[in-house]
Amino acid sequence: MNASTIGAAVGAVLALTWVAFGFWAFLFVGLAMLAGVGVARLVRGDIDLHGLVQALRGRRTSS
């Protein structure tokens, strides 16, 4: 699957959630999707968790 197909599927899921269950369910599903992406990138090794924490604390720059 390419990025356009995945984007369309995510948009469809979010739109159907909003229509069927309302705004707060839409917001929850969207946040859960973002959390899932973050965990997947962390497990895959795309995100350096220690470096991210240090950058958020101001002890290291993110660039």
Side-chain angles (χ1 to χ4, degrees), residues 4-48:
S4 296
T5 304
I6 293 170
V10 168
V13 167
L14 288 174
L16 289 173
T17 300
W18 189 325
V19 169
F21 302 111
F23 174 74
W24 294 110
F26 159 81
L27 190 62
F28 176 74
V29 169
L31 291 174
M33 289 173 136
L34 285 175
V37 168
V39 169
R41 287 184 177 184
L42 188 65
V43 167
R44 221 173 28 187
D46 293 343
I47 297 175
D48 175 23

